Amino acid sequence: MTLSIRNQLPGTVTAVTPGDAMATVKVRLDGGQDLTAAITLDAVEDLGLSQGSAVRALVKSTEVSLATAPVRGVSIRNQLPGTVTGVATGAAMATVRIAVEGGELTSAITAESATDLALTTGTPVVALIKSTEVALANA
């Protein structure tokens, strides 16, 4: 299946913690980072997810925020360190490509934010992704 979601990171489920309607699914990405997805229990069942399941973590570029250092005191579970590999800036928005261990992410942020963060090729960044914005697919 071809998707418009640019951010597709392969990994393996390491834990599934069910709740009343939702579950948190811990994924070890192929690059070694840990990622948390919060998905419905129905999705866990439909995908047949359990420890050891091969998955792809899918994240829209508009859901990837950037920081220039690790962020403390925030509820965002997923913080992936990386390096900017390219910035394309338009009048209102910027597309930032980030190399992370084992893959690449794309972030769509405002042009003003890209300027304020002084993002250029080689800038170290941390990609911030809320667990509720991570979708999972079978690999």
Side-chain angles (χ1 to χ4, degrees):
M1 173 188 319
T2 303
L3 299 172
S4 65
I5 296 176
R6 296 183 202 180
N7 300 314
Q8 300 185 29
L9 301 171
T12 304
V13 173
T14 58
V16 177
T17 305
D20 291 336
M22 301 283 290
T24 56
V25 180
K26 302 280 188 187
V27 175
R28 171 71 42 90
L29 299 176
D30 285 358
Q33 314 92 319
D34 291 316
L35 191 74
T36 300
I39 63 175
T40 66
L41 287 175
D42 287 342
V44 170
E45 184 178 310
D46 291 346
L47 294 169
L49 298 180
S50 62
Q51 187 174 359
S53 297
V55 295
R56 284 198 169 276
L58 309 170
V59 183
K60 291 175 57 177
S61 61
T62 53
E63 301 304 332
V64 179
S65 297
L66 298 176
T68 54
V71 180
R72 304 212 189 295
V74 66
S75 65
I76 298 174
R77 304 278 23 119
N78 301 309
Q79 297 192 28
L80 303 177
T83 304
V84 173
T85 59
V87 179
T89 305
M93 297 295 292
T95 300
V96 183
R97 292 187 180 265
I98 305 109
V100 298
E101 283 294 322
E104 182 178 77
L105 289 172
T106 300
S107 174
I109 61 174
T110 64
E112 185 177 9
S113 291
T115 299
D116 289 349
L117 294 173
L119 298 179
T120 60
T121 299
T123 302
V125 293
V126 178
L128 306 167
I129 307 165
K130 290 179 64 172
S131 60
T132 53
E133 298 305 329
V134 178
L136 297 176
N138 288 316

